[in-house]
């Protein structure tokens, strides 16, 4: 097996390494972790909630412009974990695609269609040398007309799965372990339980109690399928409920 | 395809005459989840492991076995995202064939066109080969057929084949048990037993997928409860 390493370019562009791996894709995953933010998503019986840290590195920054939670349409939300610039491109393209879908087919783009579209785009970046993979893990949430509340996660490799609960970012694995224990018996969470599970998972994994201004929370509910970003007051209510519960 | 800056092939010959990118792609396939196919006297069955990264993943959102036309199905081993591209292209090619000739595409032709796509990605500029091998199962006028397509674009017709992690044990098992006169139901049992050989953990209707086509020429993907029925017959 002479010249196995592809001339050393297997680390620079998405071609196979001798072990059959794509190093650029693996490095993209590392970039997601390096951003230093952890996000969590939980799907309940009739709602979906996503929560992420809101780290404002400089007091002079306008806090309202620091966000990782983006509405794609009125009914679909996207939580981007990782490199913010890559996230903005992704959101821009997703918004365009969802709007064109609505125009072309006459009905709102379902959650899994958008997730598949994002994942297929990510796959193209893993196969064509001229574009690098995006350093973003996207969680898409929405209420599907037939299947109910849906939470999908798309990663730089082009994988996408539906999840009952999931996490992304720096403390992803700890959060998933926490959530696996909570969701082991397939519980059917109410809206409040969904939000509280997501927020308390984040608190437990990062080992700190949050103030409402330090996290972002996004929800969709069956009875009100519009994607909503919770205000600081609403977040406070949930935080108080959690601390009273414990 | 792609930027002009990358209009040179990334898959090039090594001094010993090998195309190393294709070999690495085959390594990627070999570390994928096991899948297999068996051609019976009256049909074809394909099956695969469906190991998900966490119990939090909703297994109903994942389907590895896909339908290409009403009488042709496909399963892969290797990189899931790459397989989606091939499934989409194959479906389009089948539709274009039908539009032109007003008859369903023969299995051999669809396999050839898919394999051509895979070969193009080993020669075109700025792209890498696909990290998947496909098992295509179909039933047309020539009877039941099973084809395996590799990342290089080469394809062969098989009586029974396996791909992925446990390929050598699975193929040995299949060689011992293969019989040309097997009926489809028995072939499903053999497929399950082959998967069971290398399976880590408890096999169930939720962590394997089975697709089959018999002489009604309709490719069906079994539901988890149908798989459980077959599992109980085998146990």
């Amino acid at each position: 097996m002479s010249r196995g390493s592809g001339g050393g370019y297997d680390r620079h562009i998405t071609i196979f390494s001798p072990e059959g791996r794509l190093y650029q894709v693996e490095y993209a995953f590392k970039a997601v972790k390096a951003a230093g933010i952890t996000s969590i998503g939980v799907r309940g019986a009739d709602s979906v909630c996503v929560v992420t840290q809101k780290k404002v590195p400089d007091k002079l920054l306008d806090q309202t412009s620091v966000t990782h939670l983006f509405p794609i349409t009125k009914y679909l939300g996207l939580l981007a974990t990782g490199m913010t610039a890559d996230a903005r491109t992704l959101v821009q393209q997703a918004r365009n695609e969802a709007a064109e879908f609505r125009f072309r087919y006459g009905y709102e783009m379902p959650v899994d269609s958008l997730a598949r579209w994002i994942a297929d785009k990510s796959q193209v970046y893993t196969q064509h040398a001229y574009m690098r993979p995006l350093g973003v893990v996207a969680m898409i949430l929405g209420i599907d007309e037939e299947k109910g509340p849906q939470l999908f996660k798309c990663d730089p490799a082009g994988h996408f799965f539906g999840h009952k609960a999931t996490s992304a970012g720096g403390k992803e694995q700890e959060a998933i372990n926490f959530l696996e224990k909570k969701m082991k018996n397939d519980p059917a969470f109410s809206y409040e339980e969904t939000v509280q599970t997501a927020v308390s998972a984040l608190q437990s994994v990062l080992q700190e109690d949050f103030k409402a201004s330090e996290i972002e929370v996004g929800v969709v509910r069956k009875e009100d399928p519009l994607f909503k970003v919770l205000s600081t007051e609403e977040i406070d209510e949930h935080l108080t409920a959690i601390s009273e519960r414990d | 395809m792609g930027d002009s800056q990358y209009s040179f092939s990334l898959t090039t010959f090594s001094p010993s005459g090998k195309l190393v990118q294709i070999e690495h792609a085959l390594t990627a396939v070999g570390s994928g989840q096991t899948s297999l196919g068996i051609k019976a006297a009256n049909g074809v069955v394909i099956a695969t492991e469906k190991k998900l990264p966490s119990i939090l993943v909703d297994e109903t959102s994942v389907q590895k076995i896909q339908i290409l036309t009403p009488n042709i199905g496909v399963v892969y081993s290797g990189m899931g995202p790459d397989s989606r591209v091939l499934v989409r292209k194959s479906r389009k090619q089948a539709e274009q064939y039908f539009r032109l000739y007003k008859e369903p595409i023969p299995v051999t032709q669809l396999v050839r066109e898919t394999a051509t796509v895979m070969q193009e990605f080993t020669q075109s500029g700025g792209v890498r080969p696909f990290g998947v091998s496909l098992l295509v199962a179909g039933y047309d006028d020539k009877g039941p057929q099973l084809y395996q397509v590799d990342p290089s674009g080469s394809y062969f017709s098989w009586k029974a084949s396996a791909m992925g992690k446990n390929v050598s044990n699975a193929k040995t098992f299949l060689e011992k048990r293969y019989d040309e006169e097997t009926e489809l139901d028995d072939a499903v049992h053999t497929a399950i037993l082959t998967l069971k050989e290398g399976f880590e953990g408890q096999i169930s209707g939720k962590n394997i997928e089975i697709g089959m086509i018999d002489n009604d020429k309709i490719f069906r993907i079994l539901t988890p409860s149908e798989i459980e029925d077959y599992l109980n017959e085998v146990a």
Side-chain angles (χ1 to χ4, degrees):
Chain A
M1 234 224 311
S2 56
R3 229 178 35 94
S5 74
Y9 281 104
D10 52 353
R11 293 185 185 263
H12 296 277
I13 51 175
T14 46
I15 58 175
F16 284 113
S17 75
E19 304 87 44
R21 291 155 59 181
L22 295 172
Y23 280 116
Q24 275 295 299
V25 176
E26 298 184 14
Y27 298 160
F29 276 96
K30 291 212 177 122
V32 173
K33 287 199 186 287
I37 305 262
T38 304
S39 313
I40 295 197
V42 178
R43 182 184 84 186
D46 52 13
S47 60
V48 188
C49 171
V50 293
V51 66
T52 184
Q53 294 173 262
K54 186 165 172 159
K55 277 193 185 165
V56 185
D58 194 331
K59 276 199 216 117
L60 295 173
L61 272 173
D62 180 356
Q63 294 165 327
T64 56
S65 72
V66 177
T67 177
H68 292 85
L69 203 45
F70 304 93
I72 304 295
T73 68
K74 278 193 300 205
Y75 306 99
L76 296 176
L78 190 152
L79 173 59
T81 314
M83 300 168 65
T84 29
D86 287 6
R88 285 187 194 274
T89 330
L90 184 62
V91 165
Q92 212 41 28
Q93 292 173 348
R95 284 173 174 165
N96 190 49
E97 181 60 25
E100 277 189 17
F101 187 102
R102 173 67 183 81
F103 176 72
R104 226 183 276 141
Y105 301 113
Y107 69 99
E108 291 291 332
M109 191 170 199
V111 194
D112 61 336
S113 291
L114 182 61
R116 182 188 307 269
W117 184 83
I118 292 177
D120 284 346
K121 230 175 194 261
S122 308
Q123 190 280 337
V124 171
Y125 301 148
T126 73
Q127 196 166 24
H128 292 251
Y130 68 104
M131 293 277 273
R132 62 165 174 81
L134 293 176
V136 181
V137 166
M139 279 190 223
I140 319 221
L141 61 158
I143 307 286
D144 184 285
E145 274 176 12
E146 292 167 20
K147 301 181 201 148
Q150 297 275 291
L151 172 67
F152 277 84
K153 186 168 82 168
C154 310
D155 62 27
H159 287 114
F160 79 104
F161 295 122
H163 288 265
K164 301 169 195 166
T166 189
S167 168
K171 299 261 175 184
E172 175 178 336
Q173 198 48 54
E174 292 93 330
I176 289 186
N177 295 342
F178 181 94
L179 291 166
E180 279 183 358
K181 286 197 208 108
K182 285 252 167 170
M183 319 259 325
K184 211 170 17 179
N185 302 317
D186 260 334
F189 286 141
S190 69
Y191 168 65
E192 286 77 23
E193 287 172 323
T194 310
V195 178
Q196 285 170 25
T197 309
V199 177
S200 56
L202 195 60
Q203 288 190 146
S204 150
V205 152
L206 296 171
Q207 283 163 352
E208 56 178 277
D209 284 329
F210 295 117
K211 293 203 279 277
S213 57
E214 291 171 346
I215 57 174
E216 290 186 274
V217 183
V219 299
V220 282
R221 305 175 62 170
K222 232 185 190 165
E223 56 220 33
D224 182 18
L226 299 176
F227 171 70
K228 247 181 55 164
V229 177
L230 297 188
S231 66
T232 351
E233 291 82 21
E234 290 167 314
I235 300 179
D236 246 326
E237 281 176 23
H238 289 286
L239 284 171
T240 328
I242 293 175
S243 55
E244 278 172 8
R245 191 191 63 192
D246 293 335
Chain B
M1 191 183 319
D3 222 25
S4 59
Q5 289 218 329
Y6 274 100
S7 21
F8 55 90
S9 178
L10 301 174
T11 307
T12 51
F13 285 107
S14 72
S16 59
K18 291 196 197 170
L19 290 167
V20 265
Q21 275 297 299
I22 297 180
E23 310 228 337
H24 299 337
L26 284 163
T27 315
V29 171
S31 47
Q33 291 181 12
T34 314
S35 60
L36 56 96
I38 303 177
K39 184 168 69 177
N42 59 337
V44 193
V45 59
I46 50 178
T48 180
E49 285 181 7
K50 186 162 88 168
K51 285 259 182 62
L52 297 168
S54 159
I55 57 163
L56 297 173
V57 174
D58 184 355
E59 72 276 355
T60 60
S61 76
V62 180
Q63 193 162 77
K64 291 178 70 175
I65 298 185
Q66 297 280 340
I67 299 181
L68 297 181
T69 72
N71 64 326
I72 306 177
V74 67
V75 72
Y76 72 91
S77 271
M79 304 169 70
D82 286 8
S83 77
R84 289 203 306 270
V85 176
L86 290 168
V87 165
R88 178 172 283 144
K89 287 198 203 257
S90 305
R91 284 172 174 166
K92 190 153 192 186
Q93 282 160 345
E95 275 303 306
Q96 286 171 339
Y97 183 99
F98 184 80
R99 196 166 134 235
L100 185 53
Y101 298 109
K102 279 290 179 276
E103 71 171 41
I105 189 169
V107 185
T108 42
Q109 306 248 26
L110 185 57
V111 169
R112 182 171 351 113
E113 298 202 12
T114 310
T116 307
V117 170
M118 293 171 82
Q119 188 283 333
E120 281 168 4
F121 274 72
T122 68
Q123 203 175 10
S124 301
V127 290
R128 61 162 174 82
F130 284 96
V132 286
S133 279
L134 303 174
L135 272 173
V136 182
Y139 201 129
D140 62 17
D141 296 330
K142 296 207 186 70
Q145 290 160 75
L146 177 68
Y147 285 91
Q148 180 175 333
V149 196
D150 285 331
S152 58
S154 59
Y155 63 94
F156 295 102
S157 176
W158 290 80
K159 301 171 192 171
S161 183
M163 335 181 286
K165 259 191 235 146
N166 204 31
V167 61
S168 43
N169 289 342
K171 278 200 169 165
T172 322
F173 193 88
L174 286 170
E175 275 174 28
K176 282 199 206 110
R177 289 189 154 238
Y178 185 74
D179 176 3
E180 290 191 347
E181 317 287 316
T182 323
E183 294 277 309
L184 189 56
D185 272 347
D186 292 329
V188 178
H189 293 142
T190 311
I192 291 176
L193 288 169
T194 318
L195 275 181
K196 234 181 169 175
E197 277 286 293
F199 203 87
E200 290 162 19
Q202 182 69 7
I203 201 170
S204 83
K206 287 194 183 171
N207 50 24
I208 61 171
E209 270 184 43
I210 300 181
M212 54 200 266
I213 182 166
D214 63 34
N215 43 21
D216 66 0
K217 295 195 193 157
I218 302 195
F219 185 83
R220 278 174 14 247
I221 300 175
L222 299 185
T223 64
S225 48
E226 288 173 327
I227 299 179
E228 290 285 347
D229 291 339
Y230 276 106
L231 281 170
N232 292 333
E233 286 171 23
V234 159

